[in-house]
mmCIF file of all heavy atoms in Angstrom:
data_model
loop_
_atom_site.group_PDB
_atom_site.id
_atom_site.type_symbol
_atom_site.label_atom_id
_atom_site.label_comp_id
_atom_site.label_asym_id
_atom_site.label_seq_id
_atom_site.Cartn_x
_atom_site.Cartn_y
_atom_site.Cartn_z
ATOM 1 N N SER Y 16 69.986 15.757 28.274
ATOM 2 C CA SER Y 16 68.936 16.767 28.610
ATOM 3 C C SER Y 16 67.628 16.007 28.605
ATOM 4 O O SER Y 16 67.516 14.904 28.074
ATOM 5 C CB SER Y 16 68.914 17.887 27.590
ATOM 6 O OG SER Y 16 68.443 17.401 26.329
ATOM 7 N N LEU Y 34 62.791 28.129 36.861
ATOM 8 C CA LEU Y 34 62.322 29.307 37.542
ATOM 9 C C LEU Y 34 60.800 29.324 37.608
ATOM 10 O O LEU Y 34 60.210 30.330 38.057
ATOM 11 C CB LEU Y 34 62.812 30.576 36.827
ATOM 12 C CG LEU Y 34 64.344 30.749 36.788
ATOM 13 C CD1 LEU Y 34 64.706 31.968 35.933
ATOM 14 C CD2 LEU Y 34 64.911 30.876 38.193
ATOM 15 N N GLU Y 37 56.866 24.912 35.082
ATOM 16 C CA GLU Y 37 57.255 24.461 33.736
ATOM 17 C C GLU Y 37 58.260 25.478 33.221
ATOM 18 O O GLU Y 37 57.950 26.666 33.093
ATOM 19 C CB GLU Y 37 56.038 24.376 32.808
ATOM 20 C CG GLU Y 37 55.032 23.305 33.177
ATOM 21 C CD GLU Y 37 55.593 21.916 32.980
ATOM 22 O OE1 GLU Y 37 56.440 21.674 32.109
ATOM 23 O OE2 GLU Y 37 55.152 21.017 33.727
ATOM 24 N N HIS Y 38 59.499 25.018 32.950
ATOM 25 C CA HIS Y 38 60.520 25.910 32.420
ATOM 26 C C HIS Y 38 61.299 25.120 31.370
ATOM 27 O O HIS Y 38 62.084 24.260 31.681
ATOM 28 C CB HIS Y 38 61.468 26.389 33.510
ATOM 29 C CG HIS Y 38 62.448 27.427 33.051
ATOM 30 N ND1 HIS Y 38 63.218 28.136 33.961
ATOM 31 C CD2 HIS Y 38 62.780 27.867 31.827
ATOM 32 C CE1 HIS Y 38 63.991 28.971 33.286
ATOM 33 N NE2 HIS Y 38 63.765 28.797 31.987
ATOM 34 N N ASP Y 52 72.087 38.030 16.371
ATOM 35 C CA ASP Y 52 72.891 37.224 15.455
ATOM 36 C C ASP Y 52 71.958 36.370 14.574
ATOM 37 O O ASP Y 52 72.090 36.335 13.342
ATOM 38 C CB ASP Y 52 73.802 36.346 16.323
ATOM 39 C CG ASP Y 52 74.773 35.495 15.507
ATOM 40 O OD1 ASP Y 52 75.071 35.866 14.369
ATOM 41 O OD2 ASP Y 52 75.213 34.457 16.018
ATOM 42 N N GLN Y 60 64.729 31.204 10.993
ATOM 43 C CA GLN Y 60 64.874 30.346 12.170
ATOM 44 C C GLN Y 60 63.949 30.783 13.287
ATOM 45 O O GLN Y 60 63.540 29.963 14.137
ATOM 46 C CB GLN Y 60 66.316 30.299 12.643
ATOM 47 C CG GLN Y 60 67.233 29.586 11.682
ATOM 48 C CD GLN Y 60 68.668 29.463 12.186
ATOM 49 O OE1 GLN Y 60 68.996 29.984 13.248
ATOM 50 N NE2 GLN Y 60 69.516 28.830 11.424
ATOM 51 N N ASP Y 63 60.838 28.958 12.741
ATOM 52 C CA ASP Y 63 61.033 27.529 13.114
ATOM 53 C C ASP Y 63 60.817 27.365 14.612
ATOM 54 O O ASP Y 63 60.131 26.432 15.036
ATOM 55 C CB ASP Y 63 62.432 27.054 12.734
ATOM 56 C CG ASP Y 63 62.732 27.028 11.225
ATOM 57 O OD1 ASP Y 63 61.784 26.964 10.456
ATOM 58 O OD2 ASP Y 63 63.936 27.078 10.887
ATOM 59 N N ILE Y 68 57.354 26.090 19.475
ATOM 60 C CA ILE Y 68 56.752 26.481 20.752
ATOM 61 C C ILE Y 68 55.221 26.365 20.656
ATOM 62 O O ILE Y 68 54.568 25.873 21.578
ATOM 63 C CB ILE Y 68 57.230 27.869 21.146
ATOM 64 C CG1 ILE Y 68 58.698 27.856 21.501
ATOM 65 C CG2 ILE Y 68 56.376 28.401 22.337
ATOM 66 C CD1 ILE Y 68 59.319 29.238 21.759
ATOM 67 N N SER Y 70 53.457 24.446 18.662
ATOM 68 C CA SER Y 70 53.066 23.025 18.617
ATOM 69 C C SER Y 70 53.139 22.376 19.996
ATOM 70 O O SER Y 70 52.223 21.719 20.461
ATOM 71 C CB SER Y 70 53.979 22.318 17.605
ATOM 72 O OG SER Y 70 53.769 20.943 17.634
ATOM 73 N N GLY Y 76 49.269 21.172 26.617
ATOM 74 C CA GLY Y 76 48.234 21.815 27.457
ATOM 75 C C GLY Y 76 48.705 23.151 28.037
ATOM 76 O O GLY Y 76 47.931 23.869 28.611
ATOM 77 N N ASP Y 91 73.658 42.847 30.323
ATOM 78 C CA ASP Y 91 72.510 43.381 31.065
ATOM 79 C C ASP Y 91 71.303 42.452 30.985
ATOM 80 O O ASP Y 91 70.455 42.431 31.851
ATOM 81 C CB ASP Y 91 72.137 44.795 30.583
ATOM 82 C CG ASP Y 91 73.064 45.855 31.122
ATOM 83 O OD1 ASP Y 91 73.990 45.517 31.900
ATOM 84 O OD2 ASP Y 91 72.888 47.046 30.770
ATOM 85 N N LEU Y 109 52.579 33.509 36.839
ATOM 86 C CA LEU Y 109 53.914 34.067 36.880
ATOM 87 C C LEU Y 109 53.868 35.481 37.451
ATOM 88 O O LEU Y 109 52.898 36.219 37.206
ATOM 89 C CB LEU Y 109 54.516 34.108 35.484
ATOM 90 C CG LEU Y 109 54.636 32.747 34.778
ATOM 91 C CD1 LEU Y 109 55.021 32.927 33.320
ATOM 92 C CD2 LEU Y 109 55.679 31.861 35.487
ATOM 93 N N GLY Y 111 55.656 39.469 38.045
ATOM 94 C CA GLY Y 111 56.338 40.456 37.212
ATOM 95 C C GLY Y 111 55.556 40.822 35.954
ATOM 96 O O GLY Y 111 54.448 40.277 35.745
ATOM 97 N N GLY Y 113 53.619 43.323 34.791
ATOM 98 C CA GLY Y 113 52.200 43.758 34.812
ATOM 99 C C GLY Y 113 51.334 43.095 35.820
ATOM 100 O O GLY Y 113 50.142 43.400 35.921
#
Side-chain angles (χ1 to χ4, degrees):
S16 68
L34 298 175
E37 294 292 331
H38 186 169
D52 184 24
Q60 291 183 357
D63 294 337
I68 292 172
S70 172
D91 282 358
L109 302 170

